[in-house]
Amino acid sequence: MRAWRGWLGMVCLLLCVVPVYAGAAQQDEHTTEEHVIEERAAELVLRGQLDGRDHQTYRTVPFTVAPGTARITVEFDYTGREDKTTIDLGLLDPDGFRGWSGGNKRLFTVSANDATPSYLPGHLKPGTWKLLLGIPNIRPDSKAEYTARIRFTPAGTPEEIPASLLPVLNPQPGWYRGDLHMHTAHSDASCANQSGTRVPCPLFLTAQAAVERGLDFVAITDHNAVSHLHDIRGLQPYYDRLLMMPGMEITTFQGHVNAFGLQADLDFRLGSDEVPDWNTLLERMQQRGVPVSINHPMVPSGERCMGCGWTPKNPVSLHRFIAVEAVNGVDPGTPISGIPFWHKQLSAGYRLTAIGGSDNHNAPLQEASFGASRIGIPTTVVYAENLSQPAILAGIRSGRVFIDVQGSRDRKLDFNVRHDGGETPMGGALALEKDARASFTIDIENAVGGRVEVLVDGEPAALLGDAKVHNAAQRHSFDWRSDGRRHWLSVNVYGADGRLQLLSNPIYVNFAAPAD
């Protein structure tokens, strides 16, 4: 990559050095700077003016990148389009050419791991950088003003990226369906190439399979890697109905976890001098604001799957997790199901959201030689304020989430409780004194022929008169009396074949989390 960048820089110097630096000599006549410093990240606003003298010239607009910068994001705009003024855009770093988008982008970002197409990812060297402006047309009597808003993300909190880099694909609140665990060529996913040979599977095939499955979001969680960030940056504008969230499956010898929304590398070497234990690793992620789930906790750890089960050598603060992968793959009725592990943590007082992930390693949905993809089986369904990464992650934190175990496109399950004039949704908590009563409702869609099971502290409770699902949209209700102690209530829906179809998250009663 450095050799490629060096070659491009040499070409740029040969082709562009005279107009670029000749323009720079007139820089001070045309450009003004305004500095705005925010509490945690710097924002720099560069403003300037062009006129007819700038026709068919290049200008450079310098700015300073401080040490410890993880990401640079530029939003650029200008006036004068009604007079046919055109300003093209590029970027120079202290070593030379970093990218050229011409007139096709008004927003771009660069970091060590990813960059907007047209720009090169790589180390952000401190020092003087320059916006490169090309002016193919400005009329002799015209003037134009440009504004470049440059935001700097610090290395200590690389996930604090500008909102402009976090697209909202649907502004409406509602239930959104996704898969929170999958792999691509950036770790160990493979699929058939054009000749039928097994090769590393590119990320766009995973995205396409998710679209065909009818999903709204996916988390790309390659093993100990963030190289897929660059692919996501390029693909997301095309997939404007499928949210692609970056993540990492942190694969250790003492268990696997998913970190969601990761924007930079993370040292995963658990048990080394650099990362002595889980609490150190989890504290670092917490400082960066990265939510974490425990993956397939009951899978045996051994030569067949080293480190796959949750086997920490030292006590771990489970308060640092937001979720448990209760369903990994299609069948939760096996001895390696994560549901009993999740139940155990709930009973200990930890409010961990149950989620599901396909753990898919084979993107195409139909592939005769190698079998079908499992993307979306199970589906994690999240109630979120909109379809964006912050909203989906907030929805998971809230616990208003259910798992569609078999990955249908339309089954739904909601669970709510009313008490003393207020309503608490699934994932929420309420206080109930001894002998106080609350009214619970279960809303189910598209599970006709199924059977509803209410669990109290993980055990079936006979609280429904008729547990059958008779209609495409049906509500079940029951009253429950508190004994004043801590409890959690949840719902399962089984199909006519006895297989689990839907799994709710709990409603918590008198819940006080334990001290680690």
Side-chain angles (χ1 to χ4, degrees):
M1 177 63 76
R2 296 298 299 179
W4 174 243
R5 284 183 52 202
W7 183 86
L8 286 175
M10 179 96 46
V11 172
C12 181
L13 286 173
L14 290 173
L15 298 179
C16 307
V17 65
V18 174
V20 169
Y21 292 101
Q26 302 177 31
Q27 170 69 36
D28 293 341
E29 298 179 15
H30 298 294
T31 304
T32 61
E33 293 190 14
E34 174 188 345
H35 296 269
V36 180
I37 305 298
E38 296 180 341
E39 182 178 352
R40 298 203 60 177
E43 182 181 279
L44 178 67
V45 179
L46 304 175
R47 293 189 175 96
Q49 191 175 84
L50 302 173
D51 56 36
R53 295 173 292 170
D54 297 297
H55 179 68
Q56 295 189 353
T57 65
Y58 293 90
R59 303 292 178 190
T60 57
V61 184
F63 61 94
T64 300
V65 174
T69 299
R71 180 178 297 276
I72 301 168
T73 304
V74 177
E75 296 179 57
F76 185 82
D77 205 359
Y78 63 92
T79 64
R81 289 183 178 85
E82 67 279 3
D83 294 327
K84 305 301 182 182
T85 295
T86 302
I87 303 177
D88 292 338
L89 187 60
L91 183 67
L92 303 172
D93 69 14
D95 294 328
F97 184 77
R98 197 60 182 254
W100 176 259
S101 53
N104 64 61
K105 294 179 179 71
R106 294 290 165 242
L107 168 69
F108 69 84
T109 190
V110 293
S111 77
N113 298 294
D114 70 277
T116 302
S118 302
Y119 295 87
L120 298 172
H123 173 64
L124 303 188
K125 185 175 182 178
T128 300
W129 291 53
K130 297 173 184 178
L131 293 181
L132 176 57
L133 309 184
I135 304 95
N137 189 64
I138 184 169
R139 294 171 180 173
D141 56 349
S142 292
K143 291 184 177 181
E145 295 181 350
Y146 65 80
T147 300
R149 187 177 300 276
I150 305 174
R151 294 184 172 90
F152 304 99
T153 301
T157 53
E159 283 68 40
E160 293 186 0
I161 61 178
S164 55
L165 299 181
L166 295 169
V168 178
L169 303 190
N170 186 333
Q172 301 301 317
W175 293 102
Y176 292 104
R177 312 179 74 85
D179 189 335
L180 290 169
H181 188 169
M182 58 182 59
H183 301 277
T184 74
H186 292 273
S187 54
D188 54 350
S190 59
C191 55
N193 66 9
Q194 290 178 306
S195 301
T197 303
R198 199 75 168 174
V199 296
C201 205
L203 191 151
F204 81 89
L205 286 178
T206 293
Q208 192 59 39
V211 169
E212 293 172 13
R213 180 68 74 183
L215 300 182
D216 301 302
F217 66 89
V218 293
I220 308 300
T221 55
D222 281 304
H223 297 285
N224 298 337
V226 292
S227 53
H228 52 268
L229 281 167
H230 190 59
D231 284 359
I232 292 174
R233 185 72 59 200
L235 288 172
Q236 185 65 83
Y238 176 80
Y239 288 100
D240 62 341
R241 296 178 185 176
L242 176 72
L243 177 69
M244 286 183 278
M245 301 192 300
M248 177 194 287
E249 184 172 19
I250 301 172
T251 305
T252 80
F253 307 134
Q254 302 174 39
H256 298 185
V257 303
N258 270 350
F260 299 114
L262 210 64
Q263 294 289 330
D265 291 323
L266 183 74
D267 194 336
F268 57 86
R269 295 173 294 172
L270 188 69
S272 67
D273 291 340
E274 292 78 7
V275 191
D277 54 31
W278 268 115
N279 288 316
T280 301
L281 182 56
L282 292 167
E283 183 178 359
R284 291 174 184 174
M285 287 188 281
Q286 192 171 40
Q287 289 172 347
R288 285 170 52 170
V290 176
V292 188
S293 72
I294 300 174
N295 290 353
H296 41 67
M298 298 302 293
V299 171
S301 181
E303 291 184 349
R304 183 176 180 182
C305 190
M306 185 60 67
C308 280
W310 182 244
T311 56
K313 292 183 178 179
N314 304 107
V316 177
S317 174
L318 294 184
H319 291 301
R320 299 188 189 276
F321 292 96
I322 69 163
V324 169
E325 191 178 66
V327 183
N328 175 272
V330 64
D331 189 359
T334 65
I336 63 172
S337 168
I339 295 174
F341 176 89
W342 172 57
H343 282 182
K344 181 179 179 180
Q345 310 319 313
L346 295 176
S347 294
Y350 296 101
R351 290 175 60 178
L352 298 172
T353 301
I355 59 175
S358 67
D359 205 352
N360 184 71
H361 288 70
N362 176 30
L365 288 182
Q366 299 297 330
E367 193 173 87
S369 300
F370 300 106
S373 159
R374 308 305 297 181
I375 286 176
I377 305 175
T379 297
T380 301
V381 190
V382 180
Y383 189 90
E385 290 303 310
N386 56 60
L387 182 55
S388 68
Q389 178 178 298
I392 293 297
L393 294 180
I396 294 172
R397 288 181 186 275
S398 78
R400 195 174 180 189
V401 175
F402 70 89
I403 301 174
D404 186 334
V405 174
Q406 298 172 21
S408 79
R409 295 173 182 262
D410 57 1
R411 289 179 185 145
K412 289 185 179 179
L413 171 62
D414 202 4
F415 186 36
N416 296 275
V417 59
R418 287 185 175 275
H419 172 68
D420 201 21
E423 185 168 352
T424 300
M426 178 167 53
L430 76 161
L432 288 177
E433 296 179 355
K434 185 177 180 180
D435 295 325
R437 288 185 174 274
S439 297
F440 291 78
T441 56
I442 305 164
D443 290 292
I444 301 169
E445 294 184 19
N446 302 312
V448 173
R451 174 180 61 85
V452 183
E453 177 183 69
V454 178
L455 303 179
V456 179
D457 302 328
E459 297 297 329
L463 294 170
L464 299 177
D466 180 4
K468 294 290 187 180
V469 181
H470 301 284
N471 304 309
Q474 184 166 337
R475 169 170 287 187
H476 291 77
S477 302
F478 65 91
D479 288 339
W480 185 77
R481 186 173 69 179
S482 170
D483 59 8
R485 296 195 293 268
R486 183 178 72 193
H487 297 284
W488 54 274
L489 289 79
S490 65
V491 175
N492 291 332
V493 178
Y494 294 89
D497 58 1
R499 296 172 61 202
L500 183 63
Q501 291 184 340
L502 303 171
L503 178 152
S504 88
N505 269 279
I507 291 174
Y508 302 92
V509 179
N510 300 329
F511 231 67
D516 285 329

